[in-house]
Amino acid sequence: MKFFEGAPVFAVEVRSEGDYGPRAEVAMAKKRSDYFAAGTLVVWDVDLLSTDVVNVYGASEPDKPTIYRRGDIAAAEPAVPGWSMPVDDLFAEDV
């Protein structure tokens, strides 16, 4: 399968173990900048280890994220109008 041509309107970056620390923060900010330069409208930075679980960055204000925590409903406006999801759904339930 080939890569999609163009930029997604909505991107989600889920942090892994190597995505922490000053260098990782710089790299992630650069990646968001690249997304916005390509035309992406909204980027989620999902950090399941933080109380600030979903940081939503928008192309119109790329340095001012909207922060969603457990119990909140995270949105992807204006990239995906009307779509949202409970932050708690990002966590596996104990069975």
Side-chain angles (χ1 to χ4, degrees):
M1 182 180 292
K2 294 183 180 183
F3 284 103
F4 176 78
E5 292 288 330
V9 294
F10 172 49
V12 178
E13 292 289 332
V14 180
R15 290 181 182 239
S16 62
E17 62 187 42
D19 292 330
Y20 294 92
R23 285 187 189 156
E25 293 301 327
V26 169
M28 292 185 80
K30 169 74 169 97
K31 193 169 189 178
R32 283 193 304 273
S33 178
D34 290 345
Y35 273 123
F36 294 138
T40 299
L41 299 177
V42 174
V43 178
W44 279 16
D45 175 0
V46 178
D47 183 351
L48 299 176
L49 302 179
S50 175
T51 57
D52 298 341
V53 178
V54 180
N55 287 276
V56 178
Y57 294 87
S60 61
E61 291 187 285
D63 297 322
K64 295 183 179 179
T66 300
I67 298 169
Y68 295 98
R69 297 177 176 94
R70 280 183 166 252
D72 292 339
I73 306 292
E77 298 279 348
V80 189
W83 182 83
S84 62
M85 72 171 288
V87 172
D88 291 343
D89 284 358
L90 295 167
F91 297 88
E93 295 292 325
D94 293 328
V95 178

